[in-house]
Amino acid sequence: MKLLAIVLSKHIGNTMRVAEAMAEAAPLTIVPLKDAGNCDIRQFDAVGFGSGINAGSHEPELINYVENLKEVPPRSFVFSTSATGKHERYNSKLIKALERRGSKVIGSFGCKGLCKFFVFRLFGGINKGQPDENALAEARKFIEGVTDALEK
């Protein structure tokens, strides 16, 4: 089984840390969004898309990438980091974009991440130490669930 994660981790590296934790638990290749054009996503059983949450949704560059894919992965998963960790709401726009394109989304994950946006920067950010080891353990558990779903 081969998995790919296309990641846009712009500011602090929270989302990349989550992807790296997932790669510890599954055969996951991680590719930054800027290099994703060099990937043949048809080689993978499922493709994940992840970024930090910006204004209530994934980074616009990632959503634009998904909306303009020439080849859409048949199965996909979505992940994110945010100030609140409320991924059910925040991941929905990217999930809908993938589903509109014909990809079956087999999982969604999100967790809190260090946030230094706007006024929070003055105080060193909120969610210091996030994602922590518990969140990263949940990310590993999530990707194991993705591999289990693919095997069925």
Side-chain angles (χ1 to χ4, degrees), residues 2-8 15-16 18-20 22-23 27-33 36 39 44 46-50 62 77 79 143:
K2 290 173 63 177
L3 303 172
L4 173 67
I6 297 174
V7 181
L8 179 57
T15 310
M16 186 59 75
V18 169
E20 289 166 349
M22 287 187 218
L28 179 68
T29 301
I30 302 168
V31 176
L33 179 62
C39 264
F44 297 90
V47 179
F49 300 91
L62 184 62
F77 57 96
F79 58 102
I143 201 67

Side-chain angles (χ1 to χ4, degrees), residues 19-117:
E20 289 166 349
M22 287 187 218
E24 293 171 5
L28 179 68
T29 301
I30 302 168
V31 176
L33 179 62
K34 66 180 178 61
D35 299 327
N38 300 327
C39 264
D40 181 1
I41 62 174
R42 296 171 295 178
Q43 296 178 18
F44 297 90
D45 298 300
V47 179
F49 300 91
S51 79
I53 298 299
N54 180 3
S57 129
H58 284 80
E59 292 287 349
E61 299 97 323
L62 184 62
I63 293 171
N64 187 52
Y65 174 80
V66 166
E67 289 174 342
N68 291 293
L69 277 171
K70 289 182 179 135
E71 297 276 340
V72 178
R75 289 171 303 281
S76 58
F77 57 96
V78 173
F79 58 102
S80 63
T81 56
S82 67
T84 67
K86 295 181 180 180
H87 71 278
E88 295 87 1
R89 184 174 120 210
Y90 296 145
N91 288 357
S92 65
K93 184 174 182 178
L94 186 55
I95 290 169
K96 288 176 185 172
L98 284 159
E99 290 174 341
R100 271 194 310 272
R101 300 291 317 278
S103 184
K104 178 180 169 123
V105 178
I106 57 175
S108 173
F109 176 81
C111 66
K112 287 183 179 181
L114 173 62
C115 177
K116 291 185 175 181
F117 182 72

